[in-house]
Amino acid sequence: MPVIQYKSDFNVCSVTYKHQNLRICSSEGSHSKDSKERYLWTQNVNNEILSEPLPLTPESLSVSINSTKQCLHLQWTVHNLDYHQELKMVFQIEISRFKASEVIWTGNYSTTVMQNQVLHWSWESELPLECAIHFVRMRTMVDDARIPVPRFWSNWSSWEKADDKLVEEGSDVTICYISRNHQDNISCYLEDVLTYGKQLDQSVWAFELKNVSFLRKTGTNFYCQGQGVPEGIVLYVSKVLEEPKDFSCETRDLKTLTCTWDPGDDTGLIGLPSYTLFESFSGKKTLCKHRNRCDWQVTQDSQEMYNFTLVAENYFRKRSVSILFNLIHGVHPVAPYNLFPKNVSATNATMTWKVHSIGNNSALLCQLQLLGEGKVIQQHNISVRVNGEYLLSELEPDTEYMARVHCAYADHFWKWSELISQNFTTAEAAPLEAPDVWRNVMFVSGHPTVTLFWKPLSKVHTHGKILFYNVVVENLDEPSSLEARSVPAPANSTKVTLNQSSYQIHVTAHNSVGPSPASTVAVSGHPGNENVEEGRVNGTEDGFPMSWKPQSRNATGYVVEWCDGPQNLPCVPQWRNLGPTTTGTVISSGAFRPGVRYNFRIYEISTKRMARLLEKKTGYLEELAPSYNPQVVPNNLTSHSFTLSWKDYPTESQTGFIQGYYVYLKSKAGEKCHRGFEKTVLPDNSVCCKYTIDNPDQKTFVMKDLQPESVYEFLVTSYTSAGEGPLDDFRKVTTPDEYSHILIYIILPMIFCVLVIMIACYLKNPYKSSVLSLIKSKENPHITIMKVNDCVPDAIEVVNKPEGSKIQFTGTRKSPTETKGTKPAYLDLLPTEKNYSGPGPCICFENFTYNQAASDLGYCGHFPVTPQAPHCQLGPLTSPENLLKTLEQNYMNSLGEIPAGEANLNYVSQLASPMSGDKESPPTNPPEPTLCSEYKMQMAIPLGLASPPPSENSSLSSTTLLDPGEHYH
Amino acid sequence: MVATSKCSGKYHELLLQLQRQADLMQNPSTLLDPYIHLQGLHSPVLKGSCMERPGDFPSEDALWRLSRQDFLRTLNTTLGLFLRMLSALQQDLPKAAHQQAEMNIRGLGNNIHCMAQLLRGSSDPEAAEPTQPGPGPTQPPPPLPTLPLDTFKRKLRICEFLQGYHHFMRRAGQVLRGWGERRGRNRRHSPLRGLQRAARRTWPFPGLRRLAPQGQLPR
């Protein structure tokens, strides 16, 4: 009986396949300290000793598992059958589980057997085969009396433990877990995913893993946990071995073949698949050392044709690809070497190189390429056996080139070798072309100062590094006079001061080899004609199109000169030389910007290299709308008109050609537009009148037919072809009333007279004044002008009396500061409130001379100001005529009718000596100082009172009295 | 492990460096975590079973009982053995983590050498005294564990071993910090040296479990 140690109290088993051999793992629970042999059951076989083998004993019994069908598959042969012998045989088969001694099935299999025949038989298991070890043995029975009945069994089939559980990606795997103890709370996981299996027994669970996938090279963990530490296995999942792709062979020297292929994805296993190269004609094979390449030694028997088969093989699969290869057709020469230039001149260079010999000094076809600036500019094919050489010509001086060469087998081209390259630079030569020179002539104290400019030569023309420029000044009037100077590179200008002779200036560029041809400009000692009419030119997307009319038939060319930057910035002139037959060009520059004015000058070059100004042109690449408006000054203000005037723009700040101006006028009253104006709606939806001045030279405009004492807003914008300036910053102006200019001629003498009379009266009788008596009582709303004849000496008197009726002025008024009785009474020449009765603690004379000061000190904020109120203005200084007018028209306005917004002025008045009592008071009652201080803020004088309007319609409107020509908004 | 570079003669500087190196090496992210990730042991069940196995590395109690010289010797020997083990585990560990761990151990070894040299040259009697009082003689470090041939068990066993390494480095760091604390106390209370010895009986880190028997008298 076989003796098999199988102590599997707590174990995890899995089954994998290696070809047709069964590999089974076994108990792992108790052999951590055992030697390796104890894990392998391949040697655990029946220890029953067979006696002399019978001639027809089955041999080479092997067992495999079909996991899908849960079948044990047996395979064996029968030895000792005679040649051509066919024998009907019966095979008695025993199958045991776990132990060889535990036979679970016995049966017979009958078949006819021939010599060397491999026999097959299958048995289906009710228990997953992965969960237990199975053993098989058999013996033969022959239905032939001549052959004795067999007595001996074959050996028990062997079992192998698969220590590494290798499976292929995508396959199904059954894992069996056998617990040492009977436990119910067993949890099994594939990685960290709880996995449920089928419980086959109290202590046996089977888990079927479908379509296993590769996770990592270190394997996929499957483990179970009961009460102790987890027990598990590591499944090594291999990716499917791919068929090698792009399998090809070549030789580099006709001695060794190298076959290469793309092995595809790494299978992920630590052990790599093996690659073997077979050659069918020679029958040789070699195990490849690399997974993508294999070398094959060419035999000396001149074998040209090779039939290669590459076999890739791993644990699970075998893949193969084949090619038929002709040695001569697969020659890939090794790259040439020692590529060097020699005898390099400015235009020629000889390249030399060597090649590795192939076979019996076979010829190679080499290709020499010359590259300049990365592009192949020359290509030559040369046949080479050992040394290659080629003369490259037509090279540019002082130019870096790259020469590179590769070679192919000349007898049969298949593949170029790798390229090798070498850089070299040709020698310098003298510059090929004269520098492009232009001049700028300035006359300083009658002497021409010439600034010469030249453009750096292009690399094609320098033929070497330019070291300096030679400038030779030749005085044409004194042929022997030559002045030379050297300007080191990279300078591109120099200044030469000349006298009033004629000159030719020659400029040459020099490198280490020599000078370039000279470039010549001629300069006259006298200014040329600069009075050339300036034309306009419109820029396009391509630049500025220029055209001109030739003026002489012997012009040698033309030059267009301009500045790249705006006019107001210093610039290095730009120029373009044009041929004698050219009468137009397009000047373009990346520096041109929209909204910038550029000036161009076109010169004609004479045969003596003298430049004569032909035309001037100015223009914009693209005109823009003005970015700001002209500074407008309003003047000549009258009650019905005022004049707007402005100055011209500086041309450099113009963003386009000014085509004219728009004059906008807004009136508060919303009047109709005057003749010539048109109504227009502004972007802020306000409506105003617009007048178009289409003459850009017109710089004044008279606003006529205005209403006196009205506020107008005006704006002047300029416009170009692209639009007009910004429509903001309207300014205000208020027209004066139409009589104000008359009043000034009347009121001043009148005031003077009144003052004289008052002073005279006062001097005569300082305690009595008849002035008051000349003015009607407060009940009389009308104001009369005091007549000089009414003045009685000593009758002028200033009274401060509690009763308002005693105030003897032509009217009463109530300022915002004196609406209460305790407020001071002000004695002035203004109409006062009709029913004024409040006594004041002091009496003040209005002193106009302080008004300006008060205003200047900012005292204009003491009264409520409505939004309509204009700024604090100098009303009282300009209002004597208003005052007079008030008197003349006998007009009295009550304060209650004055809009609050118009009471926006106040003034400082010098304090008069306060008096008490009235004219009835005895003179013995001298005036006593009351609560007045020496100086006091005086009441505001509402403009409405100071200057009554000429008509009812505008009687209460606020009027800013402008000093004509000075005041405007 | 032998130091080849020039040693710093500043005790506190060297001690601080040792502490920092121990802190760095006790971090599982330097070795254990990359191993777990590579081997796919990151499930809670497997991580939970990846515990330090007693006997792999010297215990905390044993470390506290060692004199400074002996502690350094033990640390050096243990890490030397671990380094050998590490090279046997080269195929099982991520290359970068493996190399970094090797460098860390060699760097620490250098500083151990320097500290040992410094202590040898000093007349500090504490150098020969154990950090914690107790009868523990210097014991050889545990031998290297035998790894099972079964792949799954081997994976887990290595995991336990690396876990033990990090725990050991944490313990070593604690001992080294204990040196710093005592040194500081000694400086502050140098006239009261007798009291210091009494104070040494007190566990310096109340937040940590004390493994040494309580109430033992100093040697």
Side-chain angles (χ1 to χ4, degrees):
Chain A
M1 291 295 291
V3 179
I4 297 177
Q5 299 295 328
Y6 188 70
K7 300 173 182 176
S8 179
D9 296 330
F10 192 82
N11 52 28
V12 176
C13 296
S14 73
V15 172
T16 58
Y17 304 93
K18 182 176 181 180
H19 305 301
Q20 297 302 312
N21 299 321
L22 180 66
R23 299 169 67 89
I24 301 177
C25 76
S26 182
S27 169
E28 298 173 353
S30 60
H31 48 59
S32 61
K33 295 179 182 176
D34 292 341
S35 63
K36 185 174 181 180
E37 287 71 21
R38 298 187 61 180
Y39 296 102
L40 301 176
W41 288 356
T42 51
Q43 304 303 318
N44 291 334
V45 296
N46 188 351
N47 63 351
E48 187 175 348
I49 300 172
L50 299 177
S51 61
E52 294 179 7
L54 288 175
L56 299 180
T57 301
E59 303 241 344
S60 304
L61 175 63
S62 72
V63 182
S64 61
I65 289 179
N66 184 331
S67 188
T68 308
K69 296 178 180 176
Q70 287 296 326
C71 285
L72 270 183
H73 184 75
L74 310 185
Q75 176 179 294
W76 70 96
T77 58
V78 178
H79 284 195
N80 299 326
L81 277 176
D82 294 339
Y83 187 66
H84 293 311
Q85 183 182 7
E86 281 191 3
L87 198 61
K88 191 170 183 181
M89 298 180 72
V90 177
F91 297 93
Q92 188 178 8
I93 301 170
E94 278 188 358
I95 298 174
S96 56
R97 181 179 287 156
F98 295 123
K99 295 178 182 176
S101 58
E102 294 181 7
V103 176
I104 59 167
W105 188 89
T106 303
N108 294 337
Y109 167 58
S110 300
T111 186
T112 304
V113 183
M114 297 174 65
Q115 188 189 31
N116 295 330
Q117 181 182 358
V118 177
L119 297 161
H120 300 271
W121 180 80
S122 293
W123 173 79
E124 186 175 346
S125 170
E126 78 283 2
L127 180 73
L129 292 167
E130 295 83 357
C131 295
I133 303 167
H134 291 75
F135 304 92
V136 181
R137 70 176 180 175
M138 63 175 60
R139 61 184 176 182
T140 56
M141 295 183 292
V142 182
D143 191 14
D144 191 333
R146 293 170 296 178
I147 301 174
V149 175
R151 294 180 297 124
F152 302 105
W153 290 90
S154 69
N155 293 336
W156 285 102
S157 60
S158 62
W159 296 81
E160 289 184 5
K161 179 218 175 232
D163 187 33
D164 293 331
K165 292 81 188 173
L166 296 174
V167 292
E168 195 174 45
E169 191 172 41
S171 61
D172 300 337
V173 180
T174 300
I175 296 177
C176 196
Y177 171 70
I178 304 170
S179 169
R180 292 174 195 272
N181 308 310
H182 300 317
Q183 298 180 60
D184 292 330
N185 55 344
I186 300 290
S187 302
C188 294
Y189 302 86
L190 177 64
E191 290 291 306
D192 51 357
V193 178
L194 185 61
T195 306
Y196 298 97
K198 186 190 291 181
Q199 187 164 9
L200 307 175
D201 189 301
Q202 282 186 326
S203 58
V204 179
W205 286 264
F207 299 88
E208 290 188 9
L209 307 181
K210 301 285 187 187
N211 192 17
V212 292
S213 56
F214 173 82
L215 287 182
R216 62 183 78 86
K217 283 189 174 185
T218 55
T220 303
N221 301 311
F222 184 91
Y223 52 94
C224 297
Q225 189 179 38
Q227 292 170 347
V229 294
E231 294 279 351
I233 59 163
V234 179
L235 271 180
Y236 289 99
V237 181
S238 162
K239 290 182 182 174
V240 176
L241 178 67
E242 293 182 32
E243 184 179 279
K245 293 185 278 289
D246 304 328
F247 178 46
S248 65
C249 300
E250 65 182 25
T251 178
R252 313 215 66 162
D253 52 6
L254 295 175
K255 294 173 185 170
T256 304
L257 274 170
T258 301
C259 296
T260 57
W261 61 91
D262 174 11
D265 281 347
D266 184 3
T267 55
L269 287 181
I270 295 171
L272 293 172
S274 67
Y275 290 88
T276 310
L277 193 60
F278 293 94
E279 203 285 304
S280 62
F281 296 143
S282 62
K284 294 178 180 175
K285 70 174 182 179
T286 184
L287 186 63
C288 303
K289 294 176 182 172
H290 307 278
R291 66 186 294 257
N292 62 347
R293 182 167 60 85
C294 207
D295 289 333
W296 183 274
Q297 293 301 317
V298 174
T299 54
Q300 300 297 322
D301 55 4
S302 302
Q303 180 185 356
E304 273 194 26
M305 293 302 297
Y306 293 82
N307 186 13
F308 283 119
T309 299
L310 175 69
V311 178
E313 184 177 9
N314 73 352
Y315 196 84
F316 305 100
R317 290 177 189 269
K318 185 186 280 189
R319 304 276 199 180
S320 64
V321 286
S322 298
I323 57 165
L324 193 62
F325 175 67
N326 187 327
L327 186 66
I328 303 302
H329 294 177
V331 180
H332 180 201
V334 180
Y337 61 102
N338 284 356
L339 174 65
F340 294 114
K342 69 175 185 181
N343 302 331
V344 179
S345 69
T347 55
N348 295 317
T350 301
M351 302 303 301
T352 63
W353 67 95
K354 293 179 183 293
V355 296
H356 297 276
S357 64
I358 289 184
N360 229 352
N361 270 347
S362 302
L364 291 178
L365 173 69
C366 292
Q367 188 175 67
L368 177 66
Q369 296 175 338
L370 181 71
L371 287 83
E373 296 180 346
K375 293 178 181 175
V376 177
I377 53 179
Q378 290 186 26
Q379 190 163 288
H380 310 279
N381 291 334
I382 308 107
S383 179
V384 178
R385 288 191 184 277
V386 179
N387 297 314
E389 182 173 315
Y390 192 82
L391 173 66
L392 295 168
S393 58
E394 298 177 358
L395 306 180
E396 292 291 333
D398 189 42
T399 302
E400 184 175 1
Y401 292 99
M402 173 192 275
R404 63 186 189 188
V405 65
H406 55 181
C407 302
Y409 190 55
D411 291 351
H412 187 278
F413 178 85
W414 181 58
K415 196 185 276 186
W416 287 112
S417 71
E418 293 82 8
L419 281 164
I420 59 166
S421 61
Q422 185 66 258
N423 291 342
F424 66 95
T425 304
T426 50
E428 290 191 2
L432 185 64
E433 284 204 347
D436 185 0
V437 179
W438 184 237
R439 88 291 178 275
N440 187 11
V441 184
M442 302 277 291
F443 283 86
V444 181
S445 305
H447 292 276
T449 299
V450 179
T451 307
L452 293 164
F453 299 94
W454 55 86
K455 295 175 183 173
L457 287 172
S458 68
K459 193 175 183 313
V460 179
H461 296 137
T462 55
H463 287 181
K465 185 181 180 184
I466 298 299
L467 303 175
F468 61 92
Y469 294 89
N470 237 7
V471 178
V472 178
V473 181
E474 180 185 3
N475 189 332
L476 298 179
D477 299 336
E478 299 175 27
S480 61
S481 169
L482 278 179
E483 181 190 337
R485 68 171 66 178
S486 177
V487 181
N492 61 353
S493 68
T494 188
K495 193 174 282 188
V496 181
T497 304
L498 307 173
N499 57 30
Q500 292 177 339
S501 303
S502 293
Y503 292 89
Q504 273 195 340
I505 305 173
H506 310 278
V507 180
T508 51
H510 292 248
N511 63 14
S512 64
V513 177
S516 69
S519 182
T520 303
V521 294
V523 178
S524 166
H526 303 284
N529 178 25
E530 289 285 320
N531 297 325
V532 175
E533 189 174 343
E534 186 175 87
R536 287 188 179 179
V537 59
N538 293 324
T540 65
E541 287 183 356
D542 299 327
F544 289 93
M546 299 281 163
S547 62
W548 55 89
K549 292 178 182 175
Q551 290 192 356
S552 66
R553 292 186 176 181
N554 54 357
T556 60
Y558 298 92
V559 171
V560 180
E561 178 197 74
W562 74 94
C563 273
D564 265 349
Q567 286 179 311
N568 55 343
L569 298 177
C571 79
V572 175
Q574 307 294 313
W575 71 94
R576 180 180 293 176
N577 279 307
L578 297 152
T581 57
T582 309
T583 57
T585 187
V586 176
I587 303 296
S588 59
S589 167
F592 288 152
R593 296 283 178 268
V596 177
R597 180 179 287 201
Y598 297 100
N599 293 324
F600 300 88
R601 297 159 75 91
I602 302 167
Y603 293 89
E604 183 184 74
I605 309 299
S606 71
T607 52
K608 293 182 178 178
R609 304 300 302 164
M610 191 73 76
R612 186 165 68 90
L613 183 61
L614 211 59
E615 290 183 29
K616 290 182 186 175
K617 290 183 184 293
T618 185
Y620 295 85
L621 189 68
E622 180 189 348
E623 288 192 53
L624 300 178
S627 55
Y628 59 93
N629 293 324
Q631 292 289 325
V632 179
V633 176
N635 48 31
N636 299 334
L637 178 66
T638 69
S639 54
H640 293 289
S641 69
F642 60 88
T643 302
L644 300 174
S645 61
W646 57 93
K647 292 182 179 177
D648 203 357
Y649 281 112
T651 55
E652 62 269 16
S653 65
Q654 292 178 7
T655 55
F657 292 114
I658 302 297
Q659 296 183 342
Y661 302 92
Y662 295 126
V663 181
Y664 293 90
L665 183 68
K666 280 197 232 179
S667 64
K668 280 194 171 180
E671 299 160 0
K672 288 184 178 178
C673 292
H674 299 140
R675 195 176 62 183
F677 282 80
E678 60 184 35
K679 192 164 274 185
T680 186
V681 180
L682 298 176
D684 62 357
N685 291 327
S686 63
V687 178
C688 69
C689 300
K690 176 182 178 183
Y691 185 86
T692 303
I693 300 172
D694 54 7
N695 177 11
D697 297 328
Q698 180 179 334
K699 303 291 177 9
T700 59
F701 182 75
V702 179
M703 289 281 194
K704 293 184 288 192
D705 302 329
L706 305 179
Q707 293 294 327
E709 293 185 277
S710 297
V711 177
Y712 291 95
E713 290 183 66
F714 68 88
L715 174 68
V716 177
T717 65
S718 56
Y719 65 91
T720 66
S721 65
E724 64 176 315
L727 285 171
D728 53 12
D729 200 19
F730 272 80
R731 296 168 60 187
K732 289 181 182 175
V733 65
T734 304
T735 52
D737 71 282
E738 55 188 330
Y739 302 110
S740 58
H741 63 286
I742 302 171
L743 290 176
I744 199 162
Y745 297 111
I746 299 172
I747 192 69
L748 288 177
M750 284 296 295
I751 290 173
F752 180 74
C753 291
V754 168
L755 287 175
V756 168
I757 292 167
M758 289 175 70
I759 291 168
C761 293
Y762 181 77
L763 290 174
K764 197 163 187 180
N765 185 0
Y767 297 103
K768 296 204 174 182
S769 173
S770 62
V771 172
L772 296 179
S773 65
L774 297 177
I775 302 174
K776 294 190 176 181
S777 68
K778 65 181 179 180
E779 285 77 14
N780 186 353
H782 302 288
I783 299 170
T784 57
I785 298 171
M786 182 183 71
K787 296 175 183 176
V788 178
N789 293 341
D790 294 335
C791 181
V792 177
D794 299 333
I796 293 178
E797 181 176 66
V798 179
V799 178
N800 183 20
K801 195 174 181 181
E803 294 81 10
S805 59
K806 296 296 181 183
I807 302 298
Q808 297 297 312
F809 272 105
T810 56
T812 60
R813 63 186 292 273
K814 184 170 67 178
S815 74
T817 56
E818 55 183 342
T819 51
K820 293 180 181 176
T822 56
K823 290 188 175 176
Y826 288 84
L827 182 64
D828 54 24
L829 299 179
L830 297 172
T832 57
E833 189 175 346
K834 198 190 299 182
N835 56 356
Y836 175 78
S837 60
C842 61
I843 298 171
C844 300
F845 285 102
E846 183 181 26
N847 184 344
F848 292 114
T849 60
Y850 286 85
N851 292 350
Q852 179 67 60
S855 177
D856 288 346
L857 288 168
Y859 286 127
C860 55
H862 286 250
F863 297 91
V865 178
T866 64
Q868 295 78 18
H871 302 303
C872 177
Q873 297 177 31
L874 304 178
L877 276 181
T878 55
S879 62
E881 55 272 285
N882 295 347
L883 182 62
L884 185 58
K885 180 186 168 194
T886 303
L887 296 172
E888 286 176 349
Q889 293 185 347
N890 197 19
Y891 177 81
M892 185 167 67
N893 191 7
S894 68
L895 188 60
E897 297 171 82
I898 299 171
E902 297 168 5
N904 61 349
L905 302 175
N906 59 12
Y907 307 94
V908 174
S909 171
Q910 193 173 16
L911 180 67
S913 299
M915 299 292 198
S916 61
D918 56 13
K919 64 181 180 182
E920 283 84 25
S921 300
T924 54
N925 294 333
E928 294 179 358
T930 59
L931 297 176
C932 287
S933 58
E934 192 174 0
Y935 290 95
K936 188 177 178 72
M937 180 78 75
Q938 198 181 7
M939 60 173 286
I941 302 172
L943 293 174
L945 289 176
S947 57
S951 64
E952 289 185 355
N953 290 341
S954 58
S955 62
L956 296 179
S957 67
S958 170
T959 303
T960 301
L961 296 175
L962 285 175
D963 184 8
E966 288 185 15
H967 297 276
Y968 57 87
H969 291 274
Chain B
M1 293 186 295
V2 178
T4 54
S5 57
K6 189 181 176 184
C7 288
S8 165
K10 298 174 182 173
Y11 173 82
H12 281 284
E13 193 178 88
L14 207 49
L15 180 60
L16 189 64
Q17 187 61 20
L18 282 170
Q19 290 168 0
R20 285 176 179 166
Q21 284 176 302
D23 287 345
L24 171 72
M25 292 158 72
Q26 64 90 26
N27 189 345
S29 68
T30 58
L31 197 57
L32 178 63
D33 291 348
Y35 171 78
I36 285 176
H37 181 76
L38 182 70
Q39 300 292 341
L41 302 177
H42 43 264
S43 74
V45 172
L46 297 181
K47 279 181 95 170
S49 68
C50 180
M51 309 292 285
E52 179 184 5
R53 186 173 288 195
D56 279 354
F57 291 91
S59 68
E60 189 167 6
D61 183 34
L63 292 180
W64 282 107
R65 289 175 191 281
L66 296 173
S67 69
R68 294 185 180 186
Q69 296 276 19
D70 288 341
F71 170 80
L72 291 177
R73 201 173 297 122
T74 302
L75 185 58
N76 192 49
T77 310
T78 305
L79 290 179
L81 289 172
F82 181 75
L83 205 56
R84 277 176 50 200
M85 189 69 182
L86 209 55
S87 35
L89 300 179
Q90 203 163 348
Q91 298 296 326
D92 301 280
L93 287 162
K95 191 175 180 183
H98 181 268
Q99 288 176 343
Q100 189 60 48
E102 271 192 356
M103 284 201 299
N104 290 341
I105 292 168
R106 293 187 196 284
L108 182 65
N110 285 343
N111 285 332
I112 290 170
H113 170 82
C114 291
M115 179 60 91
Q117 206 173 45
L118 196 67
L119 292 179
R120 270 197 304 273
S122 74
S123 57
D124 188 357
E126 285 187 359
E129 291 179 4
T131 307
Q132 274 290 301
T138 303
Q139 292 179 348
L144 288 173
T146 306
L147 294 177
L149 291 173
D150 172 73
T151 313
F152 184 76
K153 288 182 182 299
R154 176 187 161 90
K155 277 188 176 186
L156 287 186
R157 185 67 186 94
I158 294 172
C159 189
E160 293 166 355
F161 185 64
L162 297 180
Q163 186 78 272
Y165 158 71
H166 290 302
H167 287 179
F168 170 69
M169 290 313 303
R170 189 173 64 193
R171 297 192 290 267
Q174 286 168 355
V175 172
L176 289 167
R177 268 191 292 279
W179 290 15
E181 296 234 334
R182 289 182 55 205
R183 188 87 174 191
R185 279 202 302 270
N186 291 350
R187 273 206 305 271
R188 286 194 299 273
H189 309 289
S190 55
L192 306 171
R193 194 162 181 83
L195 291 177
Q196 294 162 13
R197 294 193 177 183
R200 261 183 248 139
R201 298 169 202 162
T202 309
W203 183 248
F205 308 107
L208 296 174
R209 182 174 60 94
R210 181 171 181 172
L211 297 178
Q214 300 292 311
Q216 290 183 4
L217 291 174
R219 286 186 298 173

